[in-house]
Amino acid sequence: MTITILADSASDLPLSYYKENNLRFIPLQVLLDGQNYQDLQTIEPNEVYEAMRNGKSPKTAQASPEDLFEIFTELAKEKKQGIYIAFSSELSGTYQTAVMARNQVKEEFPDFDLEIIDTKCASLGYGLVVKSAVIAASTGASKEELVENITFQAKHMEHLFTVDNLEYLARGGRISKASAIVGGLLNIKPLLHVEDGKLIPLEKIRGKKKLLKRVIEIMHERGANLDNQTIAISHADNEETALEWKQAIHDEFGTVNFVINSIGAVIGSHAGPGTVALFFLNKLPETSS
């Protein structure tokens, strides 16, 4: 790759993917039991989920400004072009901090060429944007073509989330404790989506079967050529449900290309164990249709 691609841990891609594809990895941070951890590097998602099941409430923080400055300075010294594909600015301050770090580096290295793109995406929706860019870069795409690819993918990426236990959203202040108790008693499953980078409640559905049926309906309403794209499913220690969704989507649309991976410690700290999230494009590039 003549252009260095950077991404952060909120993409929920495994660390091995970064290593295999020579990507620069930027960890976000998790605060648990008074300790500060680097997502995927010094803490694993299941450690966070176990802590949450035991009543603990982990906090999260954006990527370290020092880490960003150090990584960007290294690229500048090597005179490398870079594209940082960033986590939604509506869900983290990492994008804004990265812009400030780049501007600092450019004071010493005025020719430093780093594009920073706010994907407005999260989890494997963000991860799919990164994977598409990696494929394009491997075929020799120019920086301008990569930026166009990333922008298109990010703009058209659909996100659907559901949480297994409303208690975790209540702990984080997303809903009231009373709503969590009533929802739990009624087996209410909230369905959320991402709108302009923000996580927005979409519907409340009673029961897992009705929820999956509604997810399939929304895919019909929003999806584009679902048999001809890669669909991603991320989960927080809930692989069984992720595989159920995969099978249902395959049966309904004939989709064969899937990416399934664990939700990382940062996003998982807010959503809680049991969460399942689905990502697909609502429009395909003309070259793929």
Side-chain angles (χ1 to χ4, degrees), residues 7-240:
D8 58 63
S9 63
S11 66
D12 287 346
L13 294 168
L15 204 52
S16 58
Y17 180 83
Y18 286 85
K19 294 174 181 175
E20 289 162 7
N21 292 281
N22 296 315
L23 305 186
R24 293 303 300 263
F25 175 76
I26 298 170
L28 274 65
Q29 303 175 80
V30 178
L31 312 173
L32 181 64
D33 291 335
Q35 297 290 320
N36 189 5
Y37 298 95
Q38 305 297 304
D39 192 9
L40 284 185
Q41 290 184 322
T42 57
I43 193 168
E44 292 295 328
N46 284 345
E47 295 177 62
V48 171
Y49 302 144
E50 191 61 31
M52 294 179 80
R53 289 188 179 106
N54 290 328
K56 295 178 181 177
S57 299
K59 306 297 182 186
T60 61
Q62 61 179 276
S64 156
E66 293 79 13
D67 283 353
L68 290 166
F69 182 80
E70 183 180 329
I71 291 168
F72 295 172
T73 300
E74 185 180 326
L75 287 178
K77 287 179 177 177
E78 295 172 354
K79 297 182 179 180
K80 288 184 176 178
Q81 281 187 311
I83 301 177
Y84 175 21
I85 308 171
F87 183 28
S88 173
S89 63
E90 296 290 344
L91 299 172
S92 169
T94 298
Y95 168 77
Q96 290 90 343
T97 301
V99 171
M100 288 190 290
R102 177 190 61 189
N103 293 343
Q104 277 185 292
V105 173
K106 282 178 75 71
E107 290 177 10
E108 185 178 352
F109 301 93
D111 295 332
F112 179 43
D113 185 2
L114 175 68
E115 188 88 23
I116 304 176
I117 300 175
D118 179 4
T119 62
K120 300 291 181 74
C121 294
S123 189
L124 277 182
Y126 167 22
L128 285 179
V129 176
V130 174
K131 287 174 75 71
S132 178
V134 168
I135 291 169
S138 71
T139 62
S142 66
K143 184 182 175 186
E144 291 72 24
E145 289 169 332
L146 285 175
V147 170
E148 184 180 350
N149 174 286
I150 293 161
T151 304
F152 180 94
Q153 295 278 330
K155 179 182 178 182
H156 294 288
M157 189 64 65
E158 294 282 349
H159 302 58
L160 292 175
F161 283 79
T162 186
V163 299
D164 191 51
N165 190 332
L166 290 165
E167 178 190 347
Y168 301 118
L169 288 179
R171 286 185 199 171
R174 302 285 182 180
I175 61 172
S176 70
K177 291 186 178 180
S179 294
I181 293 170
V182 172
L185 291 172
L186 297 176
N187 196 23
I188 296 295
K189 301 295 181 186
L191 189 61
L192 306 95
H193 70 158
V194 168
E195 197 172 282
D196 194 32
K198 299 176 184 176
L199 190 58
I200 306 290
L202 189 60
E203 298 174 14
K204 295 177 181 177
I205 300 166
R206 191 169 179 179
K208 289 178 67 175
K209 288 185 178 179
K210 287 183 180 178
L211 175 71
L212 180 53
K213 181 182 177 183
R214 182 61 185 133
V215 165
I216 296 292
E217 289 173 355
I218 292 172
M219 293 184 76
H220 273 290
E221 294 164 10
R222 300 184 182 182
N225 303 103
L226 290 162
D227 61 331
N228 193 34
Q229 60 168 290
T230 298
I231 289 175
I233 305 171
S234 59
H235 65 90
D237 199 21
N238 193 2
E239 187 178 30
E240 181 181 353

